[in-house]
Amino acid sequence: FINKNIDNSFYIHSCDWYIEKNISLFLNNQVNYIDTINHQIKIKDKFYHYRDLVLSCGAEPIKIKINPAVDGKICYMRRYADLINLKKKLLTIKNNKITIIGAGLIGLEIAHYLSLINKYEISLIELSDRILPKQLDITSSNILLNTLLKRNIQVYLSSKVENIIEYNDKLVIELNSQHAIDTDLIISTIGVKPALENIHFDNVEISNGIKVNLNMKVDCIDIYSCGDVATFDYKNPGTWSFATETAKVVAKNIIGIKDKYTPKEYPYFLNVFDLSLVSLGDVNSNKQHDITNQDEIEYFNKENNIYRKVCVTNSKISGFILLNDLKMYNLLYKMFTENQPLSDSFINLIKKNR
């Protein structure tokens, strides 16, 4: 919706849907305090009783705090208000120079949709020495980098923002490399954190989120959590699939159907700049991780930017990357999740030009 009007397709459900389902909406209300002993939540100066409470507050952007004089001029992209703010600022910039700090999945998607408007000079700043180091290996990361450069997107790798100042109606980003970037607009996508800062309660362990058991419940009290705010072993995959699956577990348990969440690895999908890719599991070289009994099966068609890589540990898939050829995804995903062994014929199929 960066480059088009916001319509009803933006929303998961209309307001009428909630009325039909007998769901009361309290919009624009902040929960200030949760009384876990008396089963009450406080909104402004009023308390509401609950039988079961579900915390699905989502996540909020990690804010850049370098220079108080310009911190408020940095855009973020997570919520509806962030989108509205960005669209307004895009109408006011003079020289059409936009810099995105953080070349992760969200940063790349923003760069893609801004590039479709075809009038902006776009720069990407990335702290790592390559793009998407967790999701891609060196080969696929380089394919993505070269695609960005061909679209005239400037990419700064191994770059840390040291300072941001305002000069002659522009923002100047100073990097650790002593390089300075003049820009009209800064969009930060350096990560998110659980949106819990303004909620106060006792008897709940919070460490990078709300710690829950496999029933998605906080131990010993009638509070559940799901989505970006819930953690297992202090981890959260931060995916839509995790949010929906954990929400279903919560709903079942509340209505008396005992259910447990099964921890799993989730695939990452990205469709930008005429590239389509999916990544799942450990896809980086065994040389980096010093893993024994691991093999890598690769196919690379440079002319068409088609790349397939399957990492195999003890004859079973431990991770894979598909770039610009996703036809094998369903089969690879099934073999990965069901821990099926690879056959010689399937290995030959991966290496084959299809």
Side-chain angles (χ1 to χ4, degrees):
F1 292 94
I2 289 176
N3 59 346
K4 65 178 184 179
N5 293 329
I6 299 174
D7 55 25
N8 288 334
S9 65
F10 177 86
Y11 305 98
I12 297 175
H13 298 295
S14 67
C15 289
D16 292 337
W17 182 90
Y18 295 94
I19 296 172
E20 292 169 3
K21 301 295 182 181
N22 197 28
I23 299 172
S24 299
L25 288 177
F26 292 80
L27 301 178
N28 299 314
N29 281 280
Q30 170 70 49
V31 174
N32 307 114
Y33 176 71
I34 299 173
D35 183 347
T36 60
I37 304 299
N38 297 305
H39 285 210
Q40 292 181 323
I41 63 170
K42 183 181 180 182
I43 300 177
K44 297 180 180 177
D45 294 323
K46 189 174 182 180
F47 283 91
Y48 296 84
H49 183 268
Y50 67 84
R51 188 196 72 176
D52 298 288
L53 180 65
V54 182
L55 297 176
S56 55
C57 315
E60 60 186 359
I62 296 173
K63 300 292 181 71
I64 293 177
K65 295 181 180 179
I66 293 179
N67 181 353
V70 299
D71 287 348
K73 299 185 178 182
I74 299 172
C75 291
Y76 299 89
M77 184 59 69
R78 187 69 183 183
R79 300 178 182 273
Y80 176 79
D82 298 327
L83 174 62
I84 297 299
N85 180 51
L86 176 59
K87 289 173 75 72
K88 287 180 178 179
K89 289 197 173 184
L90 288 174
L91 297 174
T92 63
I93 61 177
K94 297 179 180 179
N95 298 305
N96 294 326
K97 292 184 178 181
I98 300 175
T99 301
I100 300 168
I101 303 175
L105 296 169
I106 295 177
L108 290 169
E109 288 208 24
I110 292 174
H112 167 71
Y113 285 103
L114 286 174
S115 72
L116 296 179
I117 301 174
N118 202 31
K119 70 176 184 179
Y120 298 120
E121 292 182 35
I122 303 169
S123 298
L124 276 168
I125 300 173
E126 171 56 39
L127 186 62
S128 175
D129 61 355
R130 57 190 177 91
I131 298 175
L132 300 180
K134 294 181 180 179
Q135 294 89 354
L136 301 180
D137 65 352
I138 293 174
T139 301
S140 52
S141 185
N142 284 336
I143 294 172
L144 180 53
L145 173 62
N146 290 331
T147 301
L148 292 170
L149 296 177
K150 288 179 182 178
R151 298 298 181 94
N152 295 318
I153 293 177
Q154 186 68 47
V155 181
Y156 298 88
L157 298 176
S158 301
S159 296
K160 180 181 179 182
V161 176
E162 297 285 359
N163 195 17
I164 302 173
I165 60 174
E166 192 168 13
Y167 180 76
N168 287 343
D169 295 327
K170 292 183 180 180
L171 295 171
V172 180
I173 303 172
E174 299 174 353
L175 302 179
N176 58 338
S177 61
Q178 309 303 315
H179 192 89
I181 303 171
D182 292 342
T183 190
D184 297 300
L185 181 64
I186 298 173
I187 306 171
S188 174
T189 61
I190 61 173
V192 297
K193 61 181 180 180
L196 292 168
E197 281 191 358
N198 297 318
I199 302 178
H200 305 284
F201 46 88
D202 302 318
N203 306 319
V204 177
E205 182 178 348
I206 299 177
S207 180
N208 196 33
I210 297 171
K211 186 180 179 182
V212 294
N213 56 31
L214 293 179
N215 301 113
M216 304 307 300
K217 188 175 183 180
V218 178
D219 286 332
C220 303
I221 57 177
D222 296 318
I223 293 180
Y224 295 85
S225 185
C226 57
D228 288 339
V229 78
T231 63
F232 297 97
D233 297 326
Y234 309 104
K235 296 178 182 178
N236 183 302
T239 65
W240 176 261
S241 297
F242 174 78
T244 55
E245 288 183 24
T246 54
K248 290 175 183 177
V249 172
V250 169
K252 286 182 179 179
N253 283 308
I254 286 177
I255 63 175
I257 302 173
K258 292 186 177 181
D259 196 15
K260 288 185 177 181
Y261 170 73
T262 303
K264 64 186 74 172
E265 293 195 64
Y266 290 93
Y268 292 92
F269 291 89
L270 186 65
N271 291 282
V272 293
F273 306 105
D274 296 327
L275 290 179
S276 58
L277 65 89
V278 60
S279 167
L280 176 63
D282 184 5
V283 297
N284 283 291
S285 172
N286 57 328
K287 295 177 182 178
Q288 296 180 28
H289 297 290
D290 195 26
I291 299 174
T292 57
N293 301 319
Q294 186 185 69
D295 295 311
E296 295 173 356
I297 307 163
E298 293 180 287
Y299 169 80
F300 185 17
N301 182 327
K302 292 184 179 181
E303 182 179 353
N304 297 312
N305 267 348
I306 294 175
Y307 181 65
R308 296 190 291 269
K309 176 179 178 177
V310 177
C311 295
V312 183
T313 304
N314 296 323
S315 301
K316 297 177 181 178
I317 297 176
S318 54
F320 63 85
I321 300 169
L322 298 175
L323 195 154
N324 283 343
D325 182 8
L326 275 57
K327 292 188 289 291
M328 299 180 72
Y329 168 72
N330 288 334
L331 183 55
L332 286 171
Y333 181 79
K334 179 180 175 64
M335 297 180 74
F336 176 89
T337 55
E338 296 181 1
N339 210 23
Q340 297 180 8
L342 278 177
S343 64
D344 290 338
S345 60
F346 190 73
I347 291 173
N348 292 330
L349 186 62
I350 295 170
K351 296 179 179 179
K352 187 177 180 181
N353 185 5
R354 303 169 67 242

